[in-house]
Amino acid sequence: NLNLGCPSGTVVGKGRGSGFLAWPDRLDCFLDEIYNGCPGLHISIKTRLGVDEPEEFYRLLEIFNRYPVYELVIHPRIRNDFYKNQPRMEFFSYGFEHSQTQVCYNGNLYTADDVQRIASQYSGLEHMMIGRGLLTNPGLVCQLKGQPLDLHQRLKAFHWAIYEAYTETLFGERPVLFKMKELWFYMASMFEDSEKLAKKIRKCEKQKLYEELAKELLEKEVRYHEKV
C-alpha cells in the first residue's frame, strides 16, 4: 500500500504522505515507475483529496486511473483538515463512481452505526478501513460481527495489554507514558466524565501515578453507542 494520506507535518514536510499530493506530475512519474517496475504485484493506494482544496481530487483521480491500482482507499479530507471537519462525502461519491478500480472508504468510523450507514449509502462498497476507530473502541469489530461483548472489560484488557507491552519493550518511564498518552487521546472519549482524569494523565510524569489514574478512569461508565 502506498500511503498518500498521512497529514503529519514531519511527513508532509519531506514531501511524503499527503504532502506528495501537492506534486501531481511528480506523483504521476512515481506511480509510472512503481507499476511498470512491479508487474503482477498487487499495489493499493491510500489517498486524501488533496492538500489545500478538495477539487484537487479530480486531477489526482485521473492520475490514479492510469495505473492498475489494486484498491483505492479514499479518506475524503484534504491534508489541511488533518482529522478535523467532516469528511467531504460528495468527493468520496465522485471517487466511488469514477474510479477504475475497487474503492475502500476511510474516515470517522467509530461505531457500528457509522460503518452500517456508509455501507447502506454505497451499494457495492466491499471494503472499509477503520483506522482510528479501533484505537478508540477496540471492541468495534466484534460489535460489527454481532458477537457478544463486554465492552468495558475489552477496553480494560486492551489498555493493560498495551501498557505492559510498552513497559517491557521501551526503556524508561518517559517513552512509556508518551505512548500511553497517545492512546488516551483516542480512548478517553469512550468513558463518561473522562475529561479531568484524561487531563491529569496528559500531565503525568511517573508511571506509578499513571497506573492509579488509569485504573480510576477505566472504572468510569462506558459510552456504548454514542459517536465520539
Side-chain angles (χ1 to χ4, degrees):
N1 177 263
L2 304 176
N3 187 353
L4 302 174
C6 180
S8 169
T10 55
V11 174
V12 170
K14 298 176 182 178
R16 299 172 182 171
S18 58
F20 207 165
L21 301 178
W23 310 96
D25 291 335
R26 295 182 187 178
L27 176 61
D28 194 4
C29 292
F30 172 77
L31 295 178
D32 182 72
E33 182 176 355
I34 290 292
Y35 282 99
N36 286 320
C38 305
L41 184 64
H42 290 168
I43 303 175
S44 60
I45 293 175
K46 182 183 180 187
T47 186
R48 288 193 173 222
L49 303 176
V51 177
D52 298 307
E53 301 293 338
E55 289 78 12
E56 296 169 33
F57 184 61
Y58 299 131
R59 171 79 188 284
L60 293 169
L61 186 59
E62 288 180 0
I63 294 172
F64 299 145
N65 280 340
R66 295 172 191 164
Y67 302 98
V69 178
Y70 181 67
E71 180 176 66
L72 183 63
V73 183
I74 302 175
H75 183 125
R77 286 184 170 97
I78 57 174
R79 182 269 167 175
N80 290 341
D81 285 331
F82 289 88
Y83 296 104
K84 300 176 182 178
N85 304 322
Q86 290 299 310
R88 302 165 193 256
M89 297 307 298
E90 66 273 26
F91 288 93
F92 176 79
S93 296
Y94 181 85
F96 184 68
E97 294 171 5
H98 293 88
S99 173
Q100 298 298 311
T101 189
Q102 65 179 340
V103 169
C104 172
Y105 176 80
N106 172 244
N108 281 32
L109 298 176
Y110 295 109
T111 68
D113 286 345
D114 293 333
V115 175
Q116 291 161 1
R117 185 186 70 256
I118 297 296
S120 67
Q121 290 176 357
Y122 296 95
S123 176
L125 178 66
E126 296 183 357
H127 298 150
M128 286 183 243
M129 180 182 289
I130 297 175
R132 294 170 295 134
L134 279 178
L135 292 176
T136 303
N137 177 9
L140 179 54
V141 172
C142 290
Q143 291 174 328
L144 287 169
K145 292 181 177 180
Q147 297 174 351
L149 173 70
D150 185 330
L151 183 56
H152 204 165
Q153 292 303 316
R154 176 60 60 89
L155 289 166
K156 290 180 182 180
F158 177 73
H159 169 272
W160 292 115
I162 295 291
Y163 178 69
E164 290 172 9
Y166 280 144
T167 300
E168 291 174 1
T169 57
L170 300 178
F171 181 76
E173 294 188 64
R174 187 173 180 181
V176 173
L177 293 176
F178 178 80
K179 291 291 188 182
M180 297 311 298
K181 290 174 185 180
E182 285 189 322
L183 177 61
W184 278 113
F185 176 81
Y186 299 100
M187 207 167 73
S189 58
M190 288 295 291
F191 295 87
E192 297 285 358
D193 302 318
S194 62
E195 292 79 9
K196 290 183 179 179
L197 284 171
K199 184 176 181 179
K200 289 181 179 180
I201 286 176
R202 288 195 298 269
K203 295 182 177 181
C204 179
E205 296 182 357
K206 296 294 181 180
Q207 278 187 250
K208 184 176 180 180
L209 175 59
Y210 169 80
E211 292 173 4
E212 295 174 358
L213 294 170
K215 287 178 182 177
E216 185 176 355
L217 203 161
L218 287 165
E219 291 303 321
K220 293 280 188 179
E221 184 177 353
V222 171
R223 293 171 176 164
Y224 284 87
H225 302 293
E226 182 179 343
K227 183 191 294 186
V228 292

